Amino acid sequence: MDMFLDGQWDAGTSGTVMTVLNPQDGSVVDTVPVGSAADAEAALMSANAAFGQWKATPMSARVALAKTCAAAMRARAQELADLLHAELGRPMPGCLGEITNAAGMLDVCAEEGLRLTATMPLGQPAGERTIVTRDPLGVVVAITPFNYPLVLLMFKLGAALVAGCTVVAKPAEDTPLSTLKLAEIFHEAGLPKGCFNVVTGTGAEIGAALVTHPIPRKIAFTGGTAAGKAIATAAIGTLKRLTLELGGHCAAIVCADADLDKAAAAVTRHGFANTGQFCYRVNRIYVERAVYEDFLAKLKATTGLLTLAPAGGEGDLGPLINQKIFATSDRQSSDARNKGARILCGGQRATGEGFDQGYYFPPTLIADATDDMAILQEETFGPVIGIAPVDTAFDGLKRANDSIYGLAGFVFCRDLAKGLALCEGMEAGSVWLNDIQRGSPHAPFGGMKQSGIGREKGRYGVESYLEYKSIYLSYEVPE
Ligand code: NAD
């Protein structure tokens, strides 16, 4: 596929392409252009040219169009899901689910748009009034990672478009195809040219060119903390607004009075979703010693029910996206094994027919993990969970918070007072108590500490694409 600029397909200026591989078997799915600084410029110029008219489009019309785009996504869900499945390797039900969630997010952004209001403070003298209104920021650059290409894009794109901003999106090198197809679908649904452009290429080249360019007023980024810091440093030159959704190393605390069956099921479902390639997944667990062995047994049983989906086959977990992502799970598992941890299940690359050509790693539970092991210190972004006993849940809380990250936390505790104290003590942007349901599209999502800056989703997301403006009126009051 080519890039999607100014309402049409565009091969870019570099004359070179990069391949998109199917992580299940390493086969070539397609190629995309390696975008250059000149392509970044062309995309930004297109978005800038479209901004004036899009900003002037009444909110009701922008909302109606957003709803039409969401409906078009649903109508063409299989087409999008086929591309997601091919570029990401995730089993098909999860790919279809991502389309549903992304379309739902767009609807929520649209509904929030209708609720936006300007305000007028009271108490001013006759002949003076102040209206506090909100303007769209302008052109937005949306840079996304590989793991949920459409949902993570929609947190940015849906909010920005409804707010009246125009967008240049730069998807991850591994998974650009679903984003490109989305641009075509939105264009065919009636979104004016230039409102949503998609460029492809590397973060170091076209990504950096987008971030340093003077046109964009905001960079909305989801990805690793290292890239987030590089982007923040580059964006400061022109004081661009930033939303950064970065890495996590999220902890769960299991108290002795917890419903252990529910806790084990929740951790299994959540910790291994998308083969663990998931920023706010459970990555480490601190369990009160009294129930440690019981909990391990239950967690091992629920995890044992998960299956790997071989190339072309069905199952719960697909392959990891690439060698770099695979290497972390592999290294953390060997490190823990060498330092004396108990590997309850998994721990080594899956091999055999259907697995040999992809980076398949089975769900892995590392018990008796200690603080000198990488699993308790670094984000995995793969299907590995470290588990350690603690004397009290509050010791677990201290260790949970002893991290540069602060994305999410999880507490399992029947005693509501104690559970609430633990939730309130967690240094994390989102905390779950007693089960892990899907994050609400209406609730703010984002990280504390080095997990990010700002919040996405719901009205919080839409508002982050708007800027306050105070308009002071003076007029003659009629006698
Ligand atoms: P990554 O940081 O390597 O890449 C993400 C995107 O940033 C890609 O599109 C890449 O091309 C681009 N990029 C990289 N360096 C850049 C630069 N200097 N300038 C401009 N663009 C640049 O991340 P990844 O490996 O694709 O994803 C995994 C990471 O993403 C994990 O750390 C994970 O925790 C994080 N993540 C966070 C959230 C969240 O909401 N907090 C969600 C999903 C993933």
Side-chain angles (χ1 to χ4, degrees):
M1 288 166 101
D2 282 339
M3 300 193 275
F4 199 83
L5 304 188
D6 209 36
Q8 52 194 340
W9 297 107
D10 189 311
T13 55
S14 75
T16 52
V17 294
M18 52 209 284
T19 49
V20 179
L21 301 178
N22 183 330
Q24 291 190 89
D25 57 10
S27 60
V28 174
V29 182
D30 206 340
T31 61
V32 293
V34 179
S36 64
D39 300 320
E41 166 92 8
L44 290 168
M45 294 290 279
S46 163
N48 207 28
F51 176 60
Q53 200 167 352
W54 186 242
K55 175 185 173 182
T57 302
M59 177 60 83
S60 55
R62 290 205 296 263
V63 164
L65 199 41
K67 290 261 177 189
T68 304
C69 287
M73 282 183 82
R74 292 189 185 96
R76 295 174 70 176
Q78 191 63 55
E79 225 178 305
L80 282 165
D82 285 344
L83 282 172
L84 260 187
H85 178 61
E87 66 186 356
L88 185 55
R90 185 197 298 148
M92 185 55 86
C95 293
L96 285 164
E98 179 166 355
I99 316 302
T100 305
N101 293 342
M105 190 71 241
L106 183 51
D107 277 338
V108 167
C109 292
E111 287 147 17
E112 291 300 341
L114 289 178
R115 294 189 189 110
L116 291 169
T117 51
T119 56
M120 188 178 76
L122 298 177
Q124 287 165 293
E128 289 180 17
R129 290 291 181 266
T130 307
I131 302 171
V132 182
T133 183
R134 299 168 113 178
D135 280 355
L137 288 172
V139 174
V140 171
V141 167
I143 301 179
T144 45
F146 71 85
N147 61 323
Y148 284 93
L150 294 180
V151 161
L152 295 173
L153 172 68
M154 201 56 77
F155 286 3
K156 301 156 184 56
L157 177 70
L161 288 177
V162 166
C165 298
T166 55
V167 176
V168 175
K170 209 297 279 172
E173 291 84 332
D174 291 299
T175 54
L177 304 176
S178 49
T179 301
L180 289 164
K181 176 56 75 179
L182 191 73
E184 182 190 51
I185 291 173
F186 279 18
H187 184 66
E188 288 174 6
L191 189 68
K193 69 174 186 174
C195 288
F196 173 27
N197 303 279
V198 181
V199 297
T200 54
T202 66
E205 194 173 352
I206 195 163
L210 290 167
V211 173
T212 48
H213 198 284
I215 284 181
R217 298 287 171 82
K218 170 164 177 161
I219 311 297
F221 172 74
T222 299
T225 294
K229 287 180 183 175
I231 286 170
T233 305
I236 204 80
T238 42
L239 278 183
K240 296 186 197 313
R241 307 297 181 263
L242 285 171
T243 298
L244 301 176
E245 297 284 2
L246 309 178
H249 189 226
C250 308
I253 298 170
V254 179
C255 297
D257 72 342
D259 180 334
L260 297 185
D261 291 309
K262 200 178 241 186
V267 166
T268 302
R269 201 171 58 239
H270 189 74
F272 298 117
N274 208 29
T275 319
Q277 301 167 118
F278 186 24
C279 57
Y280 68 100
R281 66 182 286 267
V282 177
N283 206 153
R284 51 196 173 117
I285 312 177
Y286 301 103
V287 187
E288 283 190 326
R289 214 174 284 282
V291 293
Y292 182 63
E293 290 300 336
D294 272 4
F295 178 69
L296 289 182
K298 288 178 190 294
L299 187 59
K300 185 176 173 187
T302 48
T303 302
L305 299 175
L306 295 174
T307 55
L308 288 182
E314 290 178 11
D316 301 307
L317 278 72
L320 293 164
I321 190 81
N322 59 34
Q323 202 279 333
K324 182 179 144 226
I325 293 291
F326 161 82
T328 310
S329 293
D330 199 35
R331 177 176 53 76
Q332 289 188 354
S333 299
S334 311
D335 169 71
R337 190 183 299 110
N338 294 340
K339 289 175 179 160
R342 255 189 298 166
I343 311 289
L344 297 184
C345 56
Q348 253 156 1
R349 183 174 182 167
T351 53
E353 203 183 328
F355 299 121
D356 286 340
Q357 309 306 317
Y359 294 104
Y360 282 92
F361 205 86
T364 297
L365 296 173
I366 297 178
D368 308 344
T370 51
D371 282 341
D372 60 335
M373 296 176 190
I375 183 65
L376 289 194
Q377 299 303 326
E378 299 168 6
E379 177 181 40
T380 309
F381 221 63
V384 185
I385 297 177
I387 311 136
V390 285
D391 290 334
T392 75
F394 290 93
D395 292 339
L397 178 65
K398 213 160 151 245
R399 288 171 73 179
N401 286 341
D402 184 16
S403 165
I404 61 165
Y405 297 115
L407 194 54
F410 311 89
V411 175
F412 295 91
C413 183
R414 278 201 174 99
D415 175 342
L416 191 54
K418 181 175 169 184
L420 188 57
L422 290 166
C423 288
E424 289 181 348
M426 278 265 188
E427 294 173 357
S430 305
V431 187
W432 280 257
L433 177 65
N434 284 334
D435 205 346
I436 311 178
Q437 74 268 46
R438 197 166 82 79
S440 163
H442 301 279
F445 179 76
M448 294 181 178
K449 301 192 278 186
Q450 294 188 35
S451 285
I453 295 176
R455 295 291 182 268
E456 297 190 303
K457 302 212 290 189
R459 78 172 168 83
Y460 311 90
V462 176
E463 288 178 358
S464 75
Y465 292 86
L466 294 166
E467 199 145 49
Y468 284 107
K469 178 192 252 181
S470 303
I471 302 176
Y472 294 90
L473 307 181
S474 295
Y475 52 94
E476 298 288 327
V477 180
E479 290 289 313

